[in-house]
Amino acid sequence: RAVVRLASSYRRRAARNRFLRAKVAAIIAQSARRGVVAARRVEELRKARAATRLVAVHRGRVAARRYAALRAGAVRIQARSRRDAAVAAYVVALADAKEQAKLENRLAAMEAKLKEAQTAKAQQPAEESAEVVGALQQLRGDNAKLRDENSKLRKENESLKRKVSELEKSQALRADMLAARRAADDAPPPPTARPRASPAKARPAKPVSTEEKPAKQSRFAALVGSLGFGSSGPAPAPSSPP
């Protein structure tokens, strides 16, 4: 019985030692396997992160190029609209200046002719001279009215310019906001953007035409006929506008 106990005790110890050695070996093998799997997983994650960075950089470059193209187009459209508005304003100002210069030249010619007539015809009745003076005063009043109308047209032109500039600023702000939203989006690139409509061009104001004032022209013709200057020769050429 003692021998059996000793043999069973020895076999138990030997079996426990084998189990412990097998357990340690299994733990080592499992840890090695887990290390290999973790290393592969880390490598895959690194590759995925690098690919994500590359894709993000590529999308950023594409979005930047698209934004630059949109901005260049907007700048061209704004420059074209500003140029058209400036040309229209210049045409209106030039027509006003020419009309003003013509009126001033005619008034100067009439005053010069009046002085010559007064020196040549010193014995004319006082009534005719008073009529001439009244006609000249009427012409001066008409000239003052035309100057007031010219100033009003200039004020309207300045208000139109301010409205056009405000409209261009709002269009540029909308274009910048749209480009920023598209650049911040991480989704695949959207389809080709529709071309933006050009801002509304300011309609140039029509220059004041001398044909719209038949009453003033008739008074002027009557005054010239009453003074007898119709056959004295052609009127002096109007001076060039400033």
Side-chain angles (χ1 to χ4, degrees):
R1 187 176 293 177
V3 173
V4 172
R5 287 181 181 177
L6 288 172
S8 63
S9 177
Y10 176 77
R11 285 195 298 272
R12 180 173 61 79
R13 285 185 179 180
R16 180 176 175 78
N17 291 333
R18 286 195 301 273
F19 172 73
L20 292 175
R21 287 195 295 271
K23 185 178 180 181
V24 170
I27 291 171
I28 293 171
Q30 289 177 359
S31 63
R33 177 62 181 173
R34 291 194 190 99
V36 172
V37 172
R40 291 178 181 176
R41 181 62 178 171
V42 168
E43 186 67 22
E44 291 177 358
L45 290 175
R46 287 178 180 176
K47 290 180 179 179
R49 186 175 297 176
T52 302
R53 289 179 181 177
L54 289 175
V55 172
V57 170
H58 176 69
R59 289 177 181 171
R61 290 182 179 178
V62 171
R65 291 175 182 174
R66 188 182 294 110
Y67 171 74
L70 291 174
R71 185 172 182 178
V75 169
R76 290 177 183 174
I77 293 171
Q78 291 174 1
R80 182 64 180 273
S81 63
R82 291 194 190 101
R83 188 190 69 180
D84 294 340
V87 168
Y90 173 75
V91 169
V92 173
L94 184 61
D96 294 339
K98 287 182 178 179
E99 187 67 22
Q100 189 68 23
K102 288 180 181 179
L103 291 174
E104 290 177 357
N105 290 332
R106 289 178 182 177
L107 183 59
M110 292 296 295
E111 290 178 354
K113 289 181 179 180
L114 179 60
K115 289 180 181 179
E116 292 177 359
Q118 287 178 355
T119 56
K121 300 178 182 180
Q123 298 178 357
Q124 286 183 349
E127 296 180 357
E128 294 183 359
S129 61
E131 184 180 357
V132 171
V133 171
L136 284 176
Q137 290 179 356
Q138 186 177 3
L139 282 176
R140 289 176 181 175
D142 294 339
N143 192 9
K145 290 180 181 179
L146 288 176
R147 287 181 180 176
D148 294 337
E149 292 178 359
N150 191 8
S151 63
K152 290 180 181 179
L153 288 175
R154 288 180 181 176
K155 290 180 181 179
E156 291 179 358
N157 191 9
E158 291 177 358
S159 65
L160 287 176
K161 285 182 180 179
R162 286 195 296 270
K163 290 180 181 179
V164 169
S165 63
E166 291 177 359
L167 181 60
E168 291 174 354
K169 288 180 182 178
S170 63
Q171 291 290 339
L173 181 60
R174 291 179 182 175
D176 293 338
M177 291 176 65
L178 181 59
R181 288 180 182 176
R182 290 182 178 175
D185 191 6
D186 293 336
T192 306
R194 298 179 181 176
R196 295 187 303 102
S198 61
K201 299 181 180 178
R203 296 183 179 178
K206 295 183 179 179
V208 180
S209 176
T210 56
E211 297 179 357
E212 296 179 359
K213 305 178 181 60
K216 296 179 182 180
Q217 293 293 338
S218 63
R219 288 197 295 271
F220 182 76
L223 177 60
V224 172
S226 64
L227 293 176
F229 297 146
S231 60
S232 60
S239 61
S240 61

